[in-house]
Amino acid sequence: MLILSRKRGQSIVLNDSIEIFVTAIEGDQVKIGIVAPKDINIIRKEVIEDVKAVNRNAMSSIPDLELFKEWEKSTKKNK
């Protein structure tokens, strides 16, 4: 892991195409700005971890087939 010190207004460049700016420092929170090509996804790590946890829970739960059958019947009635 590379650890860098930056001040407000300074930036780092990754792979000549991604620039990360320090826009503000407020207490223990650092606000950053990211300039990257549109084909690069930028997602907060905690969001990825939350989605993974939801997916794990969904895969481990046993579906209630009776509820599904009731839902299926109700959707056919509304057509």
Side-chain angles (χ1 to χ4, degrees):
M1 176 190 303
L2 174 63
I3 299 174
L4 300 171
S5 297
R6 301 281 79 204
K7 295 179 181 178
R8 188 175 343 119
Q10 293 181 327
S11 65
I12 60 171
V13 177
L14 305 172
N15 206 28
D16 291 328
S17 62
I18 301 170
E19 190 165 8
I20 302 172
F21 294 90
V22 176
T23 61
I25 302 169
E26 300 169 0
D28 64 347
Q29 187 176 51
V30 177
K31 294 185 178 183
I32 60 171
I34 302 170
V35 177
K38 291 186 180 198
D39 63 324
I40 300 292
N41 292 326
I42 301 171
I43 304 171
R44 295 187 333 247
K45 184 176 181 178
E46 64 271 15
V47 172
I48 293 170
E49 290 170 351
D50 288 348
V51 169
K52 286 180 181 179
V54 167
N55 288 341
R56 276 192 303 273
N57 288 338
M59 294 299 291
S60 66
S61 66
I62 300 171
D64 186 340
L65 294 179
E66 289 305 314
L67 283 176
F68 176 73
K69 288 176 184 176
E70 289 175 28
W71 172 82
E72 186 178 34
K73 287 178 188 175
S74 69
T75 57
K76 287 181 181 179
K77 288 179 186 176
N78 293 331
K79 287 186 178 181

